[in-house]
Amino acid sequence: MSIGDVASRSGVPPKTIRYYEEIGLIAPAERMENRYRAYSETDVQTLRFIQRSRSLGFPLKEVGELLALYRDRRRHAKDVKRLALAHIAELDRKIAELTAIRRTIADLAERCHGGQRPECPILEELEASPH
């Protein structure tokens, strides 16, 4: 199967597939006599797994760990759960950070009168030196 076929079936663009090969996330594709890459159904499944993991926000390092666990039929479910819980903790941290940022911007927007006057708490806050 060609890289174009694999890309359309897995939802992963060809450039990304080549990048995953380059960084060792997936094994390099077999080469046909004409030197074109040849992929298998297993490659498509692996790329779908990676694509789904990435869509859930897992960084590439953790995707590699999940992929290794996926391939290991003697894996322990606790190892998979540990990765998922660590990812949830990171998501919670990011959500809290974004919520605080949103709250600050909403407060500044509320205090800004808009209109024709030059005073603007938003710009004043951005101008202020960090604490």
Side-chain angles (χ1 to χ4, degrees):
M1 182 176 339
S2 73
I3 195 166
D5 294 333
V6 171
S8 66
R9 293 188 58 211
S10 68
V12 179
K15 186 175 182 178
T16 305
I17 294 170
R18 288 189 292 271
Y19 174 70
Y20 290 163
E21 287 181 9
E22 186 180 305
I23 65 170
L25 189 60
I26 60 173
E30 297 293 322
R31 295 288 183 153
M32 297 185 287
E33 286 182 27
N34 60 6
R35 303 289 298 145
Y36 287 123
R37 291 173 167 89
Y39 295 90
S40 67
E41 190 60 38
T42 301
D43 295 323
V44 173
Q45 284 180 283
T46 300
L47 288 165
R48 284 181 181 154
F49 182 94
I50 293 168
Q51 180 70 1
R52 180 68 176 142
S53 300
R54 296 290 290 149
S55 74
L56 291 174
F58 283 96
L60 284 177
K61 180 179 182 278
E62 281 80 12
V63 171
E65 293 177 42
L66 287 168
L67 197 52
L69 289 165
Y70 173 69
R71 291 175 175 152
D72 181 2
R73 295 297 168 205
R74 298 183 332 156
R75 67 183 168 257
H76 295 142
K78 67 180 181 179
D79 296 329
V80 180
K81 186 172 182 174
R82 176 187 49 78
L83 284 171
L85 292 174
H87 185 55
I88 291 169
E90 179 62 15
L91 289 172
D92 287 342
R93 185 195 66 73
K94 287 179 181 179
I95 289 168
E97 182 180 311
L98 288 171
T99 300
I101 291 169
R102 186 199 182 286
R103 194 177 308 118
T104 299
I105 294 170
D107 178 60
L108 291 169
E110 181 70 28
R111 291 189 293 136
C112 183
H113 300 288
Q116 308 255 338
R117 296 188 329 212
E119 298 84 16
C120 179
I122 299 168
L123 296 177
E124 292 166 8
E125 175 67 23
L126 295 174
E127 176 188 42
S129 61
H131 308 316

